[in-house]
Amino acid sequence: MLAYRSLVGRGTLWPCPSAPTARQTRLGYGLKQPYRALSATAKTPPRTIFSGIQPTGVPHLGNYLGALRQWVKLQDEASSDTTLIYSLVDLHAITIRQDPKQLRQWKKDSLAMLLAIGLDPQRSIIFHQSDVPAHAELMWILSCQASTGYLGRMTQWKDKTANEKDGSEKSKLGLFSYPVLQAADVLVHGATHVPVGHDQAQHLEFARQLANGFNEAYGKNVLMPPETLISPAKRIMSLTEPDKKMSKSHANPKSRILLTDSDDVIRSKIKSAVTDSYEGISYEPERRPGVSNLIDIFYHSGESVETESQVALAEHMAGLSLRALKEEVAMAVVEVIRPIRERYESFVRDEATLDAIAEEGARKAVASAAVTMTDVKRAVGLV
């Protein structure tokens, strides 16, 4: 998931005033001239990268290959002056009613999993969203200028409301307005870059619109319009319904591979994965979605895969039977998940360490958010 676009800005972000805000000073935007695309001799300004994931159960293989592994790579490859902020966005999780006891357990499990995949709390700020009140506070301020028309056109809102014809429980205000909270998550930390998949690009565009609208309304360059880091598509599909994305909420547990699954469970799930009756191996997502999904999983699971594309990989494996393909895929996935599972089992039992990491992460995140909130409150007249 790592052929990211350039992490540096590619054009004018905004003209900085002669007296920069506290946020701009901290991020290195104290210049009188507009910030422009960097030349080979220019000094790269400090970056702040933000991303979040809901603590709603153990992540699956699709979550890992599609996002979480890239968080670790960003952390390990970022320059020393880059700030990395990763949040367990529990406020987003309650747009759907959750069992309180279960949510508390999921929060602990999710933090243990972020550590297990390789995030380092000494290098990255890792925290629970609800531990930083500034997220909700900035959401309210931004809500006072957010367009309900724009929110109503958001893809996920339209999809949810389209499914209400059966008389089920109606969607709530939180689901309608959560893109504002999502924008606040990013903007409150002055994030310069946000890694997202293609299905979330619309939300980042909304965050930029809110930031630009706020800056225009109050005549101050307070909020940082973030750059989007679109990663190459790693859309891992369901093992039982390969025309749908792998999901934690799917009714059939065989549809997904969890990062806590044992070696035997992984092999069993892949062995039973839906394929087809065609002969040989080929990468044809439209005609052969099940086989193509297995090739995607194999291609993205192994750092040792040396082919340039899934098509080339399929050609290399063309002589294999479907059974042999599944065995190869299972071995690759086991090698990915086994060390994560073992580290997770160690972390999740150490509640004292998890509590200490969450507390320290919240302290750092509160300090980060306070810089923006001081500027925002001063701009709107609250202080």
Side-chain angles (χ1 to χ4, degrees), residues 295-313:
I295 294 172
D296 277 331
I297 291 172
F298 187 43
Y299 181 81
H300 293 305
S301 290
E303 297 293 340
S304 60
V305 176
E306 297 180 354
T307 58
E308 294 181 355
S309 69
Q310 291 93 318
V311 173
L313 176 60

PDB file of all heavy atoms in Angstrom, residues 295-313:
ATOM      1  N   ILE A 295      -5.341 -14.114  -5.436  1.00  0.00           N
ATOM      2  CA  ILE A 295      -4.097 -13.601  -6.011  1.00  0.00           C
ATOM      3  C   ILE A 295      -3.750 -12.247  -5.396  1.00  0.00           C
ATOM      4  O   ILE A 295      -2.585 -11.970  -5.083  1.00  0.00           O
ATOM      5  CB  ILE A 295      -4.211 -13.506  -7.543  1.00  0.00           C
ATOM      6  CG1 ILE A 295      -4.335 -14.911  -8.139  1.00  0.00           C
ATOM      7  CG2 ILE A 295      -2.996 -12.790  -8.133  1.00  0.00           C
ATOM      8  CD1 ILE A 295      -4.651 -14.927  -9.620  1.00  0.00           C
ATOM      9  N   ASP A 296      -4.762 -11.387  -5.203  1.00  0.00           N
ATOM     10  CA  ASP A 296      -4.525 -10.108  -4.533  1.00  0.00           C
ATOM     11  C   ASP A 296      -3.944 -10.325  -3.140  1.00  0.00           C
ATOM     12  O   ASP A 296      -2.982  -9.658  -2.734  1.00  0.00           O
ATOM     13  CB  ASP A 296      -5.844  -9.322  -4.406  1.00  0.00           C
ATOM     14  CG  ASP A 296      -6.186  -8.558  -5.669  1.00  0.00           C
ATOM     15  OD1 ASP A 296      -5.267  -8.163  -6.405  1.00  0.00           O
ATOM     16  OD2 ASP A 296      -7.392  -8.335  -5.901  1.00  0.00           O
ATOM     17  N   ILE A 297      -4.537 -11.237  -2.383  1.00  0.00           N
ATOM     18  CA  ILE A 297      -4.072 -11.512  -1.028  1.00  0.00           C
ATOM     19  C   ILE A 297      -2.629 -12.009  -1.043  1.00  0.00           C
ATOM     20  O   ILE A 297      -1.787 -11.557  -0.258  1.00  0.00           O
ATOM     21  CB  ILE A 297      -5.000 -12.535  -0.341  1.00  0.00           C
ATOM     22  CG1 ILE A 297      -6.377 -11.912  -0.075  1.00  0.00           C
ATOM     23  CG2 ILE A 297      -4.384 -13.024   0.977  1.00  0.00           C
ATOM     24  CD1 ILE A 297      -7.415 -12.906   0.435  1.00  0.00           C
ATOM     25  N   PHE A 298      -2.335 -12.931  -1.953  1.00  0.00           N
ATOM     26  CA  PHE A 298      -0.974 -13.467  -2.051  1.00  0.00           C
ATOM     27  C   PHE A 298       0.007 -12.373  -2.456  1.00  0.00           C
ATOM     28  O   PHE A 298       1.100 -12.244  -1.880  1.00  0.00           O
ATOM     29  CB  PHE A 298      -0.971 -14.610  -3.071  1.00  0.00           C
ATOM     30  CG  PHE A 298       0.328 -15.366  -3.143  1.00  0.00           C
ATOM     31  CD1 PHE A 298       1.008 -15.723  -1.985  1.00  0.00           C
ATOM     32  CD2 PHE A 298       0.857 -15.742  -4.366  1.00  0.00           C
ATOM     33  CE1 PHE A 298       2.200 -16.433  -2.043  1.00  0.00           C
ATOM     34  CE2 PHE A 298       2.054 -16.451  -4.448  1.00  0.00           C
ATOM     35  CZ  PHE A 298       2.726 -16.794  -3.284  1.00  0.00           C
ATOM     36  N   TYR A 299      -0.395 -11.576  -3.429  1.00  0.00           N
ATOM     37  CA  TYR A 299       0.477 -10.517  -3.941  1.00  0.00           C
ATOM     38  C   TYR A 299       0.823  -9.502  -2.858  1.00  0.00           C
ATOM     39  O   TYR A 299       1.980  -9.087  -2.724  1.00  0.00           O
ATOM     40  CB  TYR A 299      -0.217  -9.825  -5.117  1.00  0.00           C
ATOM     41  CG  TYR A 299       0.588  -8.723  -5.764  1.00  0.00           C
ATOM     42  CD1 TYR A 299       1.584  -9.026  -6.686  1.00  0.00           C
ATOM     43  CD2 TYR A 299       0.352  -7.383  -5.469  1.00  0.00           C
ATOM     44  CE1 TYR A 299       2.331  -8.032  -7.297  1.00  0.00           C
ATOM     45  CE2 TYR A 299       1.096  -6.381  -6.068  1.00  0.00           C
ATOM     46  CZ  TYR A 299       2.083  -6.700  -6.979  1.00  0.00           C
ATOM     47  OH  TYR A 299       2.817  -5.719  -7.572  1.00  0.00           O
ATOM     48  N   HIS A 300      -0.182  -9.094  -2.069  1.00  0.00           N
ATOM     49  CA  HIS A 300       0.040  -8.054  -1.071  1.00  0.00           C
ATOM     50  C   HIS A 300       0.568  -8.590   0.252  1.00  0.00           C
ATOM     51  O   HIS A 300       1.097  -7.819   1.059  1.00  0.00           O
ATOM     52  CB  HIS A 300      -1.257  -7.287  -0.824  1.00  0.00           C
ATOM     53  CG  HIS A 300      -1.714  -6.481  -2.002  1.00  0.00           C
ATOM     54  ND1 HIS A 300      -0.919  -5.543  -2.617  1.00  0.00           N
ATOM     55  CD2 HIS A 300      -2.892  -6.483  -2.685  1.00  0.00           C
ATOM     56  CE1 HIS A 300      -1.577  -4.998  -3.626  1.00  0.00           C
ATOM     57  NE2 HIS A 300      -2.772  -5.547  -3.691  1.00  0.00           N
ATOM     58  N   SER A 301       0.442  -9.894   0.484  1.00  0.00           N
ATOM     59  CA  SER A 301       0.880 -10.448   1.770  1.00  0.00           C
ATOM     60  C   SER A 301       2.383 -10.612   1.851  1.00  0.00           C
ATOM     61  O   SER A 301       2.975 -10.467   2.923  1.00  0.00           O
ATOM     62  CB  SER A 301       0.215 -11.811   2.020  1.00  0.00           C
ATOM     63  OG  SER A 301      -1.158 -11.662   2.267  1.00  0.00           O
ATOM     64  N   GLY A 302       3.017 -10.947   0.735  1.00  0.00           N
ATOM     65  CA  GLY A 302       4.434 -11.279   0.802  1.00  0.00           C
ATOM     66  C   GLY A 302       5.329 -10.198   0.261  1.00  0.00           C
ATOM     67  O   GLY A 302       5.145  -9.730  -0.851  1.00  0.00           O
ATOM     68  N   GLU A 303       6.289  -9.779   1.058  1.00  0.00           N
ATOM     69  CA  GLU A 303       7.315  -8.861   0.572  1.00  0.00           C
ATOM     70  C   GLU A 303       8.224  -9.575  -0.437  1.00  0.00           C
ATOM     71  O   GLU A 303       8.956  -8.945  -1.189  1.00  0.00           O
ATOM     72  CB  GLU A 303       8.161  -8.352   1.749  1.00  0.00           C
ATOM     73  CG  GLU A 303       7.400  -7.553   2.779  1.00  0.00           C
ATOM     74  CD  GLU A 303       6.891  -6.218   2.245  1.00  0.00           C
ATOM     75  OE1 GLU A 303       7.438  -5.743   1.232  1.00  0.00           O
ATOM     76  OE2 GLU A 303       5.943  -5.670   2.831  1.00  0.00           O
ATOM     77  N   SER A 304       8.157 -10.913  -0.455  1.00  0.00           N
ATOM     78  CA  SER A 304       9.045 -11.677  -1.327  1.00  0.00           C
ATOM     79  C   SER A 304       8.484 -11.858  -2.736  1.00  0.00           C
ATOM     80  O   SER A 304       9.158 -12.384  -3.613  1.00  0.00           O
ATOM     81  CB  SER A 304       9.296 -13.061  -0.720  1.00  0.00           C
ATOM     82  OG  SER A 304       8.081 -13.779  -0.580  1.00  0.00           O
ATOM     83  N   VAL A 305       7.220 -11.445  -2.947  1.00  0.00           N
ATOM     84  CA  VAL A 305       6.643 -11.577  -4.282  1.00  0.00           C
ATOM     85  C   VAL A 305       7.356 -10.613  -5.220  1.00  0.00           C
ATOM     86  O   VAL A 305       7.349  -9.404  -5.013  1.00  0.00           O
ATOM     87  CB  VAL A 305       5.124 -11.284  -4.250  1.00  0.00           C
ATOM     88  CG1 VAL A 305       4.560 -11.320  -5.667  1.00  0.00           C
ATOM     89  CG2 VAL A 305       4.411 -12.309  -3.376  1.00  0.00           C
ATOM     90  N   GLU A 306       7.996 -11.141  -6.244  1.00  0.00           N
ATOM     91  CA  GLU A 306       8.874 -10.331  -7.083  1.00  0.00           C
ATOM     92  C   GLU A 306       8.257  -9.940  -8.422  1.00  0.00           C
ATOM     93  O   GLU A 306       8.922  -9.336  -9.254  1.00  0.00           O
ATOM     94  CB  GLU A 306      10.188 -11.085  -7.308  1.00  0.00           C
ATOM     95  CG  GLU A 306      10.959 -11.318  -6.002  1.00  0.00           C
ATOM     96  CD  GLU A 306      12.249 -12.068  -6.224  1.00  0.00           C
ATOM     97  OE1 GLU A 306      12.491 -12.507  -7.369  1.00  0.00           O
ATOM     98  OE2 GLU A 306      13.013 -12.229  -5.250  1.00  0.00           O
ATOM     99  N   THR A 307       7.006 -10.288  -8.681  1.00  0.00           N
ATOM    100  CA  THR A 307       6.362  -9.904  -9.929  1.00  0.00           C
ATOM    101  C   THR A 307       5.876  -8.466  -9.851  1.00  0.00           C
ATOM    102  O   THR A 307       5.635  -7.936  -8.776  1.00  0.00           O
ATOM    103  CB  THR A 307       5.178 -10.830 -10.237  1.00  0.00           C
ATOM    104  OG1 THR A 307       4.242 -10.776  -9.154  1.00  0.00           O
ATOM    105  CG2 THR A 307       5.645 -12.266 -10.425  1.00  0.00           C
ATOM    106  N   GLU A 308       5.723  -7.839 -11.017  1.00  0.00           N
ATOM    107  CA  GLU A 308       5.351  -6.432 -11.065  1.00  0.00           C
ATOM    108  C   GLU A 308       3.865  -6.206 -10.880  1.00  0.00           C
ATOM    109  O   GLU A 308       3.432  -5.095 -10.587  1.00  0.00           O
ATOM    110  CB  GLU A 308       5.800  -5.826 -12.400  1.00  0.00           C
ATOM    111  CG  GLU A 308       7.312  -5.785 -12.558  1.00  0.00           C
ATOM    112  CD  GLU A 308       7.717  -5.146 -13.872  1.00  0.00           C
ATOM    113  OE1 GLU A 308       6.820  -4.832 -14.679  1.00  0.00           O
ATOM    114  OE2 GLU A 308       8.924  -4.963 -14.092  1.00  0.00           O
ATOM    115  N   SER A 309       3.049  -7.231 -11.069  1.00  0.00           N
ATOM    116  CA  SER A 309       1.604  -7.055 -10.993  1.00  0.00           C
ATOM    117  C   SER A 309       0.932  -8.373 -10.664  1.00  0.00           C
ATOM    118  O   SER A 309       1.546  -9.453 -10.754  1.00  0.00           O
ATOM    119  CB  SER A 309       1.064  -6.526 -12.320  1.00  0.00           C
ATOM    120  OG  SER A 309       1.182  -7.528 -13.330  1.00  0.00           O
ATOM    121  N   GLN A 310      -0.352  -8.293 -10.330  1.00  0.00           N
ATOM    122  CA  GLN A 310      -1.123  -9.495 -10.075  1.00  0.00           C
ATOM    123  C   GLN A 310      -1.268 -10.325 -11.346  1.00  0.00           C
ATOM    124  O   GLN A 310      -1.303 -11.557 -11.280  1.00  0.00           O
ATOM    125  CB  GLN A 310      -2.502  -9.135  -9.516  1.00  0.00           C
ATOM    126  CG  GLN A 310      -2.460  -8.563  -8.108  1.00  0.00           C
ATOM    127  CD  GLN A 310      -2.385  -7.053  -8.080  1.00  0.00           C
ATOM    128  OE1 GLN A 310      -1.659  -6.448  -8.869  1.00  0.00           O
ATOM    129  NE2 GLN A 310      -3.128  -6.418  -7.173  1.00  0.00           N
ATOM    130  N   VAL A 311      -1.366  -9.655 -12.493  1.00  0.00           N
ATOM    131  CA  VAL A 311      -1.471 -10.377 -13.758  1.00  0.00           C
ATOM    132  C   VAL A 311      -0.222 -11.225 -13.983  1.00  0.00           C
ATOM    133  O   VAL A 311      -0.303 -12.411 -14.344  1.00  0.00           O
ATOM    134  CB  VAL A 311      -1.686  -9.398 -14.931  1.00  0.00           C
ATOM    135  CG1 VAL A 311      -1.611 -10.141 -16.258  1.00  0.00           C
ATOM    136  CG2 VAL A 311      -3.030  -8.680 -14.796  1.00  0.00           C
ATOM    137  N   ALA A 312       0.938 -10.620 -13.755  1.00  0.00           N
ATOM    138  CA  ALA A 312       2.193 -11.350 -13.925  1.00  0.00           C
ATOM    139  C   ALA A 312       2.307 -12.501 -12.932  1.00  0.00           C
ATOM    140  O   ALA A 312       2.805 -13.585 -13.262  1.00  0.00           O
ATOM    141  CB  ALA A 312       3.377 -10.403 -13.779  1.00  0.00           C
ATOM    142  N   LEU A 313       1.833 -12.270 -11.704  1.00  0.00           N
ATOM    143  CA  LEU A 313       1.861 -13.324 -10.701  1.00  0.00           C
ATOM    144  C   LEU A 313       0.981 -14.487 -11.126  1.00  0.00           C
ATOM    145  O   LEU A 313       1.369 -15.664 -11.005  1.00  0.00           O
ATOM    146  CB  LEU A 313       1.408 -12.773  -9.353  1.00  0.00           C
ATOM    147  CG  LEU A 313       1.298 -13.789  -8.209  1.00  0.00           C
ATOM    148  CD1 LEU A 313       2.650 -14.437  -7.938  1.00  0.00           C
ATOM    149  CD2 LEU A 313       0.769 -13.109  -6.938  1.00  0.00           C
TER     150      LEU A 313
END
